[in-house]
Amino acid sequence: NSGVLSAGIHSKVRMALGKGIEPFLLLNVDQEGNEELEHIVDADIQGWLEKNNSYQYSYKTIYNLLAYGWSVTQLILSRDRKQINRIFATDVFDARLKKREPATGIIKEMFLHADWSSVASASDINLSGVEVLREDYELQDLESRTSKFEFAILHRMLHNGRQYYPRPLWKAAQAWVKVSRAVPEFKKAMHKNQMTIKYLITISDTYWKREHRGWDTYDPKKRKEIIQDKYDEINNFLTGEQAQGKSIILGKYTDPYTKAIVPDVEIEVLDDKMKEGRLLPDSAAADKQILFSMFFNPAIWGGNLLGDGASGGAGSGSDIREAFAVQIMLMHAERMLNCKVFDLVKHY
């Protein structure tokens, strides 16, 4: 429900993935680091990539890494166990890892369930399990297997003792995410419930008696009609397209008891709180803090890095181009984690 976070994640996925996976052979790297590549035209390889919808698979895998901090690939072997036939990205929202083995620290299984709030125990009949290949030894582990055809591999980078689920980068700005989500809801409620009044018109009680000599003899209905007509007259005079720059003449009188000068009609212009753009600077600050935590430069979207943030502020074309180039380089880790399964398929 945070627009900037959702867009930031999807933008990074698209930049990391580009046009998708293509097979190339690395022939040479010169002294300056330039790579000499040869595109591989192979019907089996292209057919396998198409069969497994490599672009969609990669999109989901990188999305999981950015949104949740980790990802899982389920793979299925061929009937003769000689190759990996199919791969697909697991929805990590439905996945949970089994506790590590106390002696080895290895996670041997992953559990899947559509609604974890309904799971009471590990014996739940709706709980399905998939064996997890040993991390960093997936190829050796898979080659040693003699039974079962479906396995899973983990894509994750563990930090600071988090042995199961790494924290995604944006979690560091979680408080700002709540601000980003709260501002539009607050604005929506304000617009829905506010009473928009521009003028406060006050007419003294003695005005009616001086203007209408028989005021005390009028019945309540007639008095109400006279009051309403006067308010309508003043309101129509002050509002509308032709009301700009008009002048109005108002009278005053001296109260015989207090000797104070009292205006017949008093018109007060009420301050419009909405015109100040209340909370918009807070929202802009939240958006930038979220993007910064994700290693995402707002300049790519035309966001001004050093301004107050309320209006965005478009950067130059060179700002956007250079920010995009840096972003591509920063996405190398996600690309390598995504390629993990393709390397496994190739070697197996």
Side-chain angles (χ1 to χ4, degrees):
N1 293 326
S2 171
V4 68
L5 176 57
S6 177
I9 291 173
H10 279 285
S11 295
K12 289 188 67 176
V13 173
R14 296 172 192 224
M15 283 185 277
L17 186 53
K19 293 191 293 183
I21 297 291
E22 287 289 338
F24 281 84
L25 184 64
L26 178 60
L27 301 179
N28 186 38
V29 179
D30 63 24
Q31 293 182 350
E32 296 181 356
N34 298 312
E35 298 176 343
E36 182 183 348
L37 302 174
E38 178 185 337
H39 185 248
I40 302 301
V41 180
D42 185 289
D44 288 339
I45 295 176
Q46 294 292 348
W48 188 93
L49 291 172
E50 292 176 7
K51 179 177 65 176
N52 285 282
N53 200 342
S54 62
Y55 185 91
Q56 185 177 25
Y57 161 83
S58 298
Y59 198 107
K60 292 179 178 179
T61 297
I62 298 176
Y63 179 88
N64 283 337
L65 289 168
L66 295 172
Y68 295 95
W70 69 299
S71 189
V72 181
T73 296
Q74 290 173 251
L75 53 90
I76 300 175
L77 299 180
S78 60
R79 190 179 297 273
D80 58 8
R81 307 184 66 86
K82 290 185 177 181
Q83 68 177 22
I84 297 172
N85 254 1
R86 302 301 298 268
I87 60 170
F88 58 93
T90 307
D91 185 351
V92 295
F93 190 81
D94 299 333
R96 300 292 186 274
L97 300 178
K98 186 179 181 179
K99 287 186 177 181
R100 297 184 301 159
E101 296 292 320
T104 63
I106 297 174
I107 297 174
K108 291 189 173 183
E109 198 169 9
M110 171 188 70
F111 298 108
L112 299 173
H113 198 276
D115 181 13
W116 282 97
S117 63
S118 66
V119 177
S121 68
S123 60
D124 192 307
I125 60 174
N126 295 317
L127 200 63
S128 60
V130 181
E131 291 189 11
V132 175
L133 297 176
R134 183 177 178 182
E135 284 185 278
D136 299 326
Y137 297 91
E138 288 88 357
L139 179 60
Q140 296 90 326
D141 192 359
L142 186 57
E143 289 175 334
S144 66
R145 302 279 182 150
T146 58
S147 62
K148 296 190 177 181
F149 292 85
E150 183 178 3
F151 302 96
I153 65 171
L154 305 181
H155 309 260
R156 58 179 187 162
M157 297 179 69
L158 299 178
H159 300 286
N160 299 331
R162 298 189 66 86
Q163 300 300 326
Y164 294 96
Y165 311 112
R167 290 169 62 90
L169 293 175
W170 66 265
K171 287 288 284 186
Q174 185 170 359
W176 285 107
V177 174
K178 292 180 180 180
V179 172
S180 177
R181 292 176 54 182
V183 169
E185 289 299 321
F186 181 84
K187 286 287 188 181
K188 178 182 177 182
M190 183 183 294
H191 281 285
K192 181 178 180 180
N193 298 310
Q194 74 167 338
M195 181 184 295
T196 305
I197 299 176
K198 188 172 184 179
Y199 300 106
L200 176 62
I201 303 172
T202 306
I203 302 178
S204 65
D205 292 338
T206 57
Y207 169 82
W208 306 111
K209 294 181 180 181
R210 288 188 289 106
E211 286 292 314
H212 302 274
R213 297 298 180 182
W215 183 261
D216 290 335
T217 64
Y218 295 165
D219 59 63
K221 181 178 180 181
K222 185 174 182 179
R223 291 183 183 181
K224 183 177 181 181
E225 290 176 352
I226 293 174
I227 292 174
Q228 187 62 53
D229 288 343
K230 178 57 66 176
Y231 275 103
D232 288 343
E233 178 187 353
I234 296 174
N235 187 65
N236 292 334
F237 182 83
L238 293 173
T239 59
E241 295 180 358
Q242 305 301 322
Q244 299 295 328
K246 280 188 176 181
S247 300
I248 185 169
I249 301 175
L250 302 175
K252 295 183 179 181
Y253 75 98
T254 302
D255 188 292
Y257 300 102
T258 64
K259 306 303 180 181
I261 298 177
V262 181
D264 283 332
V265 180
E266 187 174 7
I267 301 174
E268 179 184 356
V269 180
L270 300 180
D271 186 23
D272 183 5
K273 301 298 183 183
M274 297 299 293
K275 70 182 180 182
E276 300 174 0
R278 184 182 178 188
L279 296 181
L280 291 182
D282 296 326
S283 178
D287 292 347
K288 288 185 177 179
Q289 290 297 328
I290 293 168
L291 295 176
F292 287 155
S293 72
M294 298 169 58
F295 288 159
F296 192 97
N297 190 334
I300 294 175
W301 288 342
N304 181 8
L305 293 179
L306 302 178
D308 62 6
S311 60
S316 66
S318 59
D319 289 340
I320 297 173
R321 181 179 63 252
E322 295 305 317
F324 182 81
V326 172
Q327 191 69 63
I328 292 296
M329 290 185 282
L330 288 175
M331 299 302 298
H332 183 71
E334 284 80 6
R335 286 193 291 272
M336 290 299 97
L337 286 171
N338 177 62
C339 286
K340 182 178 180 179
V341 71
F342 296 101
D343 289 336
L344 177 63
V345 170
K346 175 182 65 175
H347 290 295
Y348 185 79

